[in-house]
Amino acid sequence: MGKPIDITVYGADQICASCVNLPSSKDTYEWLQAAITRKYGQDHINYVYVDIFSPPEKEKHQQFAQRVVDEEFFYPVVLVDNEVAGEGNPKLKTIYRMLEARGLNTLE
């Protein structure tokens, strides 16, 4: 396995208006981390949570957060190596496929 895979979740404390009855962005972030770790382990994956209303200083996070605030995406938005893997209610199967396409193998 080469360089680590980056999983970034963009979200906010408040649930988006279109996402009523879905988990919060932070809950989705924690759920994804647990599910992915169970299937693939902890090695080779970096997780980042970005609050869209107070993104960190990194320009790429600020720019993408602004796109979410501008309603280009429903949050939470999940990126795998800067590629959108899901939004609003992300699907694990889609994220798993993207991880495996990057060379990640399931635990035995």
Side-chain angles (χ1 to χ4, degrees):
M1 180 84 214
K3 75 175 192 89
I5 297 169
D6 294 323
I7 296 179
T8 308
V9 177
Y10 289 84
D13 286 338
Q14 73 184 61
I15 295 174
C16 86
S18 301
C19 304
V20 175
N21 298 324
L22 293 176
S24 71
S25 298
K26 199 68 152 167
D27 288 341
T28 298
Y29 170 74
E30 292 168 358
W31 167 73
L32 280 174
Q33 232 177 332
I36 292 168
T37 298
R38 259 192 319 276
K39 186 164 177 119
Y40 301 100
Q42 296 181 38
D43 298 337
H44 307 296
I45 303 176
N46 296 322
Y47 297 93
V48 176
Y49 178 81
V50 176
D51 185 316
I52 60 173
F53 296 113
S54 60
E57 293 297 315
K58 281 189 169 180
E59 188 174 338
K60 75 174 190 173
H61 291 314
Q62 291 178 345
Q63 288 176 350
F64 197 88
Q66 188 59 51
R67 291 174 67 189
V68 178
V69 169
D70 291 343
E71 298 181 357
E72 190 174 327
F73 299 98
F74 293 113
Y75 60 88
V77 182
V78 179
L79 274 63
V80 175
D81 284 341
N82 299 315
E83 182 181 346
V84 176
E87 60 179 300
N89 187 18
K91 305 292 183 235
L92 271 177
K93 285 184 179 184
T94 303
I95 295 167
Y96 288 165
R97 273 195 302 273
M98 292 177 78
L99 294 173
E100 289 169 9
R102 287 165 173 76
L104 205 57
N105 297 312
T106 58
L107 295 174
E108 297 303 317

